[in-house]
Amino acid sequence: MPTASENALFGMGNPLLDISAVVDKDFLDKYGLKPNDQILAEDNHKALFEEIVKKSHVEYHAGGATQNSVKIAQ
């Protein structure tokens, strides 16, 4: 059975996908969003994903507390 090295780091958590884009106020209002905020997407946000890709430059980042912590520790 393999053993962990002295400097091993193990993280366990829920992987999330962070999506960042610059949008206008009308877009925020349409989906009930606030400027410079973050949300967990719900059913009423489903159409948002297709629309945002068509309208904006979108950046995708791996997220979630565990993944962010492990990235920093690297």
Side-chain angles (χ1 to χ4, degrees), residues 3-11:
T3 60
S5 72
E6 187 175 312
N7 296 319
L9 175 64
F10 176 77

Side-chain angles (χ1 to χ4, degrees), residues 5-19:
S5 72
E6 187 175 312
N7 296 319
L9 175 64
F10 176 77
M12 183 180 281
N14 295 317
L16 300 175
L17 178 64
D18 295 338
I19 303 172

Side-chain angles (χ1 to χ4, degrees), residues 2 5 13 19 28 46 62 67 71-72:
S5 72
I19 303 172
L28 296 176
K46 284 183 180 179
Q67 178 142 341
K71 285 192 310 191
I72 297 298

Side-chain angles (χ1 to χ4, degrees), residues 3 14-16 18 24 27 32 38 49 51-52 54 58 64 73:
T3 60
N14 295 317
L16 300 175
D18 295 338
D24 59 24
F27 184 88
Q38 62 185 12
F49 299 107
E51 184 176 347
I52 202 170
K54 288 179 183 177
V58 178

Side-chain angles (χ1 to χ4, degrees), residues 9-46:
L9 175 64
F10 176 77
M12 183 180 281
N14 295 317
L16 300 175
L17 178 64
D18 295 338
I19 303 172
S20 297
V22 176
V23 297
D24 59 24
K25 184 175 178 346
D26 290 339
F27 184 88
L28 296 176
D29 292 344
K30 180 176 180 178
Y31 292 101
L33 304 172
K34 300 174 189 171
N36 302 314
D37 199 10
Q38 62 185 12
I39 62 161
L40 291 176
E42 299 175 352
D43 285 343
N44 60 319
H45 298 117
K46 284 183 180 179

